[in-house]
Amino acid sequence: MDPDAIVTLIISNAIFFLLAAVIIVCAILMVSSRNLVHSALFMVAVFIGIAGVYAMLSADFLAVAQVLIYVGAISVLLVNGVMLTRRADMKSSNPGNNHKLGAFLTAIGLFGVLTWKVLSTEWAASSAPPAETTAGQIADLLLGKYVVPFEAAAVLLLVAMAGAILLAKGADFKK
Amino acid sequence: MIGLPHFLILAAALFCIGFYCAVVKKNAIAVFMGIELMLNSANINLVAFNRFIAPDKLDGHVFAIFVMVVAAAEVAVGLALIVSIYRHRKSATVDDLNLMKW
């Protein structure tokens, strides 16, 4: 193995474990934070870390879409929701219920089973190089093979938008 | 070498944290955050499988885009529901939403 390959290997390892640490630590802080606004901020950090993971997986279009949709739009929606439904004391706005132990054991058990199955499976990994850029190929798929789901997604977004406006505004059915 | 199992285990950990958040939290918006984490971990799985099993096709990326679309629609409708419920009942706590509980 030549030195350049070893350096690349070390760097990719370091980047992966850094991203994984950021994602997991921020997710745990998000769950354990007492303040709902802090939770939302940690959620944004998790989303940015996931965008980095997409970039590592050479999914350039998805990395950008993740930043735009999740970091830009969904987190703003959630923070707006927090502000619209806030209560007097923001400090304890994110309480837990009394299923903590059961939920914790279920989550740990699920993680154990998933990890065991992932490690015990022989994955049919392909050694083909990834695509240089993905946007053109995704466009071909979206407007070719997946054109019907694409149109259905457009209708779904329209219906969701109309439904959200109707629900939040309050419909007047007495006409 | 960073391979497929690394990404799958990262996604599994994220999914479990999201599950815990969705089950344990009282505030409906915190429950939504947990659901978002779970959807994101599913997306990591889709892209990782696409990268390591079939790198020459990009169907996994398209699936991930559809998951993002559905997540966006879900958050918009869900938050409108929560705001509407908050206006009527002055609470966004899921324990208070027991109107349909038998």
Side-chain angles (χ1 to χ4, degrees):
Chain A
M1 226 168 155
D2 62 307
D4 279 358
I6 295 173
V7 169
T8 316
L9 197 66
I10 291 172
I11 289 175
S12 77
N13 271 295
I15 291 174
F16 175 79
F17 285 109
L18 193 68
L19 279 175
V22 167
I23 290 173
I24 298 297
V25 168
C26 286
I28 289 172
L29 283 173
M30 177 199 125
V31 175
S32 59
S33 172
R34 292 265 118 209
N35 188 328
L36 201 50
V37 178
H38 296 175
S39 277
L41 287 177
F42 285 122
M43 189 188 66
V44 171
V46 172
F47 288 161
I48 292 173
I50 291 170
V53 168
Y54 289 156
M56 263 202 87
L57 288 164
S58 58
D60 50 355
F61 179 78
L62 271 182
V64 175
Q66 170 85 9
V67 173
L68 277 178
I69 297 176
Y70 276 104
V71 181
I74 290 186
S75 57
V76 169
L77 261 181
L78 281 169
V79 172
N80 265 321
V82 174
M83 293 306 167
L84 284 173
T85 61
R86 70 169 170 196
R87 49 186 83 192
D89 54 332
M90 212 62 211
K91 281 199 177 65
S92 58
S93 54
N94 195 5
N97 58 19
N98 42 16
H99 304 304
K100 278 203 177 87
L101 185 65
F104 183 73
L105 290 179
T106 314
I108 290 289
L110 182 63
F111 180 65
V113 170
L114 286 172
T115 308
W116 170 53
K117 290 317 283 181
V118 164
L119 292 178
S120 67
T121 308
E122 286 284 323
W123 300 104
S126 159
S127 56
E132 282 280 310
T133 56
T134 59
Q137 224 179 319
I138 288 175
D140 283 345
L141 281 170
L142 271 181
L143 294 176
K145 190 175 169 188
Y146 294 105
V147 67
V148 176
F150 178 69
E151 296 295 337
V155 174
L156 173 74
L157 278 178
L158 179 67
V159 171
M161 188 183 74
I165 293 170
L166 203 68
L167 278 171
K169 188 173 135 289
D172 185 12
F173 291 112
K174 286 170 283 182
K175 278 266 169 81
Chain B
M1 186 62 200
I2 300 294
L4 181 58
H6 292 80
F7 290 99
L8 295 186
I9 291 173
L10 170 65
L14 199 60
F15 186 91
C16 292
I17 296 171
F19 166 80
Y20 180 81
C21 185
V23 171
V24 156
K25 290 300 176 185
K26 268 187 176 170
N27 192 304
I29 293 166
V31 174
F32 264 98
M33 291 178 186
I35 294 171
E36 289 304 318
L37 279 197
M38 290 197 273
L39 288 167
N40 266 288
S41 76
N43 264 355
I44 292 180
N45 265 9
L46 288 170
V47 179
F49 276 122
N50 191 94
R51 167 70 183 81
F52 288 104
I53 304 285
D56 47 336
K57 298 196 195 77
L58 290 181
D59 295 53
H61 292 208
V62 177
F63 285 1
I65 290 171
F66 283 130
V67 171
M68 278 185 188
V69 169
V70 174
E74 172 247 337
V75 165
V77 175
L79 283 176
L81 272 174
I82 292 172
V83 169
S84 172
I85 289 167
Y86 180 78
R87 206 177 287 148
H88 283 114
R89 304 183 66 118
K90 297 284 165 248
S91 160
T93 307
V94 283
D95 290 355
D96 293 344
L97 309 180
N98 53 5
L99 207 64
M100 291 171 78
K101 197 172 173 185
W102 188 56

